[in-house]
Each structure stands twice: as C-alpha cells, then as structure tokens.
Amino acid sequence: MGRTIAIGDVHGCLNELNELLEKLELQPSDRLIFLGDLINRGPNSHGVVKRVRGIPGAITLLGNHELRLLRYARKEDPSILRSTDEKTIATLTKKDWRFLRHALLPYFYEPALNTIFVHGGFTPDKPWYKQSLKTITGIQLIDNEGNPTNSKDCPQGIPWADTWHGPPFVVYGHFPRSSAYERPHSIGIDTGCVHGGALTAYILPDKHIVQVPARMCYSNGSRLFRS
Ligand SMILES: [Mn+2]
C-alpha cells in the first residue's frame, strides 16, 4: 500500500498548498485526503478548489464552511451567509460548485489503518457512524453536559479529542492550533495556515508530519490556539 496523506484546513491558501504538494513529492500510489474547509478566509478559494479538483483520486471531506455554502445553495437563503462566504461565492465557477455539491464526503474510513478522517471530530458517547453532520463538521470542544460545542460558544469546554479513546484512530482538522495536537487515539492537523500558522500534512502509515509555514497572516491571528 502507498502512503495515505491527510491535509489540514487550506482555507484558500493556494501558494502554501502548492508548496506543500511539491514538498510531498507525490507518487502515483499515494492517496490524498483533504480534511475540509478548502475555502473562505484566505486569498484564493477558487484557486484551491480548482487545484484540488484537478488531482485525480483525491478524497475531499466536507468542512463546516463548505456545508454552509451548500445549505445556502440549496435553500437560497442569504441570511445564513457570512461576509467571507460572499467573497468566496463571487469567485466560484460552475465547475467549482459541481465539485462542492458532488465530491465531498462527510468522513472517510480506512479499515486497513483502522483510521477515520473527518473535518471536526466526534463525541465519545456514541459510535462515530451515528453522529450528526453538524457534530462531525463542527465540534471542537465538549461542554460540561457532554454536548458538542466550539471555542466561541463555550471557551471553557474540553477538547473532544481529550475524551476520545478509540478505536478508530481519528485524523481531523477544524481546530486551529499552533502545532499538531497528538493524542493516543487522534491527531488534529489544522495548524491555522490562514491565521499565519502552517499548512500541515500527516502521512500514514509512517505517522510523519510535513509542514509549510504560512507566507503571512491572512485572517485574524488571535484564533490560533496554543497546543
Ligand atoms: Mn472548520
């Protein structure tokens, strides 16, 4: 089996993505998995979607940012949009929309590695395959009643990964931290490229990390949490 390479939240950082893909020296036997949130906040959402949809066989997961855009497109309800969505929508082509509608998976499970790839994560109280789209794309923390939440709504919550005991092992993004967040049964690899951190790839089965630093802080650097 070739390498399985997960890539964290790109958020429109096309230059860093191109640099990372070059640094990885991709082989035909490699499998690339993008953990979601390709778009928004950064300088070139369209460029990232175009680049990723041009990679044959790449697996792309649904992030909360893509989920919001798809909900808007389905209901045509502009009230759910944020200003970053509007900037992205203005640049997306028909091919980009087709890709966002049809190519994004909620998660990807690889039995040979006993590993699941997902954007946000899981609560520990029920099996991963029984959890809602809202949870698996949006969770960062768990509140004191055991419910999924995030750092904005409940800053004192506990990282869901601290409560996850596996199996399976979980590789996820969505929680921008100053470095990868390694736990015995999970690893978070959103290292906040768009916030001036880095773009991170995690390679299995060797458990190797490859990173490219952000060229600048494109969006609110204070969102990068220390890990
Ligand atoms: Mn996210």
Side-chain angles (χ1 to χ4, degrees), residues 32-54:
L32 272 183
I33 303 175
F34 288 88
L35 295 178
D37 281 1
L38 294 175
I39 58 163
N40 283 356
R41 295 197 173 122
N44 196 346
S45 292
H46 159 69
V48 169
V49 172
K50 189 177 176 192
R51 180 75 176 90
V52 170
R53 65 179 165 74

Side-chain angles (χ1 to χ4, degrees), residues 9 11 37 63-65 119 137 173-175 190:
D9 302 36
H11 278 304
D37 281 1
N64 54 307
H65 284 263
H119 181 64
T137 61
H174 185 58
F175 199 155
D190 178 4

Side-chain angles (χ1 to χ4, degrees), residues 9 25 30 36 40 47 60 63 105 145 153 166 177 224 226:
D9 302 36
E25 297 180 357
D30 290 335
N40 283 356
T60 44
L105 306 173
E145 284 163 3
D153 295 341
R177 291 169 165 117
L224 214 51
R226 285 193 186 282

Side-chain angles (χ1 to χ4, degrees), residues 114-116 121-128 131 142 158-172 181-187:
N114 199 4
T115 296
I116 184 154
F122 304 104
T123 57
D125 57 336
K126 46 186 167 181
W128 59 266
Q131 307 204 15
I142 292 180
I158 298 165
W160 71 267
D162 292 3
T163 71
W164 180 258
H165 297 295
F169 189 85
V170 185
V171 181
Y172 66 98
Y181 193 68
E182 290 198 68
R183 288 290 175 270
H185 302 284
S186 65
I187 184 167

Side-chain angles (χ1 to χ4, degrees), residues 1-223:
M1 198 163 87
R3 301 184 298 178
T4 294
I5 305 170
I7 295 178
D9 302 36
V10 183
H11 278 304
C13 297
L14 180 62
N15 290 331
E16 290 83 352
L17 174 60
N18 282 330
E19 206 181 307
L20 181 64
L21 292 174
E22 218 166 282
K23 201 171 173 181
L24 287 165
E25 297 180 357
L26 295 175
Q27 307 294 316
S29 59
D30 290 335
R31 175 169 54 186
L32 272 183
I33 303 175
F34 288 88
L35 295 178
D37 281 1
L38 294 175
I39 58 163
N40 283 356
R41 295 197 173 122
N44 196 346
S45 292
H46 159 69
V48 169
V49 172
K50 189 177 176 192
R51 180 75 176 90
V52 170
R53 65 179 165 74
I55 303 171
I59 291 161
T60 44
L61 303 185
L62 182 69
N64 54 307
H65 284 263
E66 287 92 6
L67 181 61
R68 196 169 56 244
L69 245 62
L70 292 174
R71 288 209 163 125
Y72 156 77
R74 217 174 47 210
K75 294 185 195 159
E76 303 219 342
D77 173 7
S79 72
I80 66 169
L81 291 182
R82 301 183 190 170
S83 67
T84 181
D85 300 325
E86 285 163 12
K87 283 181 205 151
T88 296
I89 287 171
T91 69
L92 294 180
T93 64
K94 273 190 177 171
K95 280 186 181 171
D96 296 337
W97 276 108
R98 198 178 309 142
F99 171 83
L100 293 174
R101 282 202 181 92
H102 300 293
L104 304 182
L105 306 173
Y107 50 75
F108 181 78
Y109 177 64
E110 173 49 72
L113 299 165
N114 199 4
T115 296
I116 184 154
F117 302 83
V118 70
H119 181 64
F122 304 104
T123 57
D125 57 336
K126 46 186 167 181
W128 59 266
Y129 50 85
K130 286 190 176 168
Q131 307 204 15
S132 72
L133 211 50
K134 186 173 183 240
T135 295
I136 70 175
T137 61
I139 190 171
Q140 290 178 325
L141 305 169
I142 292 180
D143 70 17
N144 53 19
E145 284 163 3
N147 298 312
T149 185
N150 60 53
S151 55
K152 207 172 70 188
D153 295 341
C154 181
Q156 75 280 16
I158 298 165
W160 71 267
D162 292 3
T163 71
W164 180 258
H165 297 295
F169 189 85
V170 185
V171 181
Y172 66 98
H174 185 58
F175 199 155
R177 291 169 165 117
S178 53
S179 58
Y181 193 68
E182 290 198 68
R183 288 290 175 270
H185 302 284
S186 65
I187 184 167
I189 61 164
D190 178 4
T191 44
C193 188
V194 79
H195 304 300
L199 188 61
T200 296
Y202 181 65
I203 305 172
L204 289 169
D206 16 340
K207 302 186 173 180
H208 187 55
I209 284 176
V210 175
Q211 286 184 317
V212 163
R215 295 188 183 183
M216 58 178 280
C217 176
Y218 303 96
S219 165
N220 195 1
S222 65
R223 284 186 53 98

